[in-house]
Structures are given as structure tokens and as C-alpha cells.
């Protein structure tokens, strides 16, 4: 069964700090890893990673995947109060009939204080 | 707005009643997914469709749950004889399947409370 573990479960920082969120996974026939941001509503897509060592970047957010060690990190530099949210990591495999579903971790709750 | 839409946004029902939720995916997306999310947890997969065909169902989806996507566009999720343990956020997502690396876009969810 596919599994995703995120750490830390919660994190409290001050504006301007840099944070690193971790995601480790076990999946049958890895296809992709996705990061989502969830505020008081549905998850919004941040990144999809399929290849090791290639950094994806969007503004102050960046992410990288290590397929050998089975983990990914999400970095947020110069944090702002608007970054406060739950950050979800999900993986998709290709094990048997599990061709479509995402398996999510429990999320990291990030709180950014002014 | 051309995103995924879900109705209703909130539903309160009494135990034992039946409820039905609707999801309208992004136009022309051929895959549609249902997930359930409880407080403090990530979304859990329930089922997904490619066009009209229901391709996978989680073992979380007991026989009280049924989902349809009759014309390959919108989908409904019905829960019969609701139980308090069914209280959760029900999320719908859609994607355009392409080589197994499609991105799923989520709707705002339907929050179900069973009294």
C-alpha cells in the first residue's frame, strides 16, 4: 500500500524566516509527486515533480525530488503571513489498478507570525 | 470561473438519511476523482472515473456509497443511511489524463455533518 509521511506536522515561524518541509514516500511504480497548499478550502496545486534532482521554482517557493532516497522537500524563503496554510504532499504510483489516485500525507501546518 | 465546482457547499443531515453531492469538473477534463478529508488528515481517495467508466474504488467506499458519472461530465456521490462517521469534507478533483502525470485540480468541497 502506498504511503506518504510528512514532517514536521506543524511549524511556527516569523515573517522573513525560511522553512523546509519534508515528504517521504513509499509507492509502487512511482509516477509523480505533487505539492498542494490548503487554506480554509480545497487544496491548490503548487508543483508536480517527476524527475530527481530537477528543482521546480515559483517565486519564493521551490521543491526538489530525490527518487533514490524517496523524499521531496518544499522550501519557502522570506515567509509571509499569507503563507500560513496546510501543505500537502501526495504521490501517484502505477501499481496494478491504482492508476489514477493520489495518496496524501497528513500535511504540515505552517503558521507565520508577523 | 472555469474551475471545479461542487454543490452543496455544506450539508447537515440526521443519521440514517441519504445525501447526494454533485461535482462539475473543469470543462473537457476526462478524469474525475472523489476524496474524503477529515480534520487533521490529508485527503483519502474514494473513487475515480475516466469519462463514464468508474475505474477504481477504495475499500473505504462501503456499499452505502455510490458514485456515478453518467455522461462523462458531472458526477454525483450518494451516501445512503448516513452515519456520524461519515462527517467529513468531500472533495472532488478533475484532470486531463496524459501519460500518467496529469495534475488534479480540486473543487471547494462539500462539508457533511451527520447529527
Amino acid at each position: 500500500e502506498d504511503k506518504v509521511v510528512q514532517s514536521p506536522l506543524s511549524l511556527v515561524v516569523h515573517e522573513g524566516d525560511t522553512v523546509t518541509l519534508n515528504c517521504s514516500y513509499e509507492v509502487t511504480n512511482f509516477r509523480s509527486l505533487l505539492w498542494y497548499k490548503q487554506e480554509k478550502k480545497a487544496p491548490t496545486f503548487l508543483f508536480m515533480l517527476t524527475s530527481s534532482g530537477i528543482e521546480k521554482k515559483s517565486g519564493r517557493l521551490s521543491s526538489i525530488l530525490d527518487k533514490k532516497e524517496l523524499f521531496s522537500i518544499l522550501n519557502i524563503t522570506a515567509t509571509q503571513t499569507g503563507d500560513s496554510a496546510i501543505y500537502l504532499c501526495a504521490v501517484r504510483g502505477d501499481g496494478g489498478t491504482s492508476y489514477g489516485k493520489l495518496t496524501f500525507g497528513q500535511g504540515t501546518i505552517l503558521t507565520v507570525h508577523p | 470561473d472555469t474551475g471545479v465546482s461542487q454543490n452543496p457547499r455544506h450539508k447537515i443531515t440526521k443519521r440514517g438519511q441519504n445525501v447526494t453531492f454533485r461535482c462539475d469538473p473543469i470543462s473537457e477534463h476526462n478524469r474525475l476523482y472523489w476524496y474524503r478529508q477529515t480534520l487533521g488528515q490529508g485527503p483519502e481517495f474514494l473513487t475515480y472515473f475516466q469519462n463514464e467508466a468508474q475505474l477504481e474504488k477504495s475499500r473505504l467506499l462501503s456499499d452505502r456509497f455510490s458514485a456515478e458519472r453518467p455522461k462523462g461530465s458531472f458526477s454525483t456521490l450518494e451516501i445512503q443511511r448516513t452515519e456520524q462517521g461519515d462527517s467529513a469534507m468531500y472533495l472532488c478533483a478533475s484532470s486531463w489524463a496524459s501519460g500518467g502525470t496529469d495534475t488534479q485540480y480540486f473543487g471547494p468541497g462539500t462539508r457533511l455533518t451527520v447529527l
Side-chain angles (χ1 to χ4, degrees), chain B residues 42-113:
Chain B
E44 294 176 295
F45 171 80
L46 294 178
T47 189
Y48 89 95
F49 295 84
Q50 179 145 335
N51 301 313
E52 304 89 353
Q54 188 172 20
L55 296 188
E56 187 177 0
K57 291 168 60 173
S58 164
R59 61 176 182 272
L60 292 174
L61 212 66
S62 76
D63 55 9
R64 296 185 298 106
F65 288 70
S66 62
E68 294 183 341
R69 193 182 184 200
K71 297 182 179 180
S73 56
F74 73 92
S75 175
T76 57
L77 177 68
E78 181 182 17
I79 309 174
Q80 296 182 325
R81 305 181 302 282
T82 51
E83 301 173 356
Q84 288 184 326
D86 297 331
S87 295
M89 175 76 86
Y90 290 83
L91 294 166
C92 175
S94 70
S95 71
W96 175 257
S98 173
T101 55
D102 47 298
T103 299
Q104 296 180 25
Y105 295 93
F106 284 81
T110 294
R111 183 169 295 283
L112 173 66
T113 302

Side-chain angles (χ1 to χ4, degrees), chain A residues 1 31 36 38 42 48 97 100, chain B residues 37 56 59 99 101 104 107:
Chain A
E1 186 173 326
R31 300 300 296 266
Y36 288 86
Q38 186 173 30
M48 181 168 65
T97 59
Chain B
Q37 186 175 26
E56 187 177 0
R59 61 176 182 272
T101 55
Q104 296 180 25

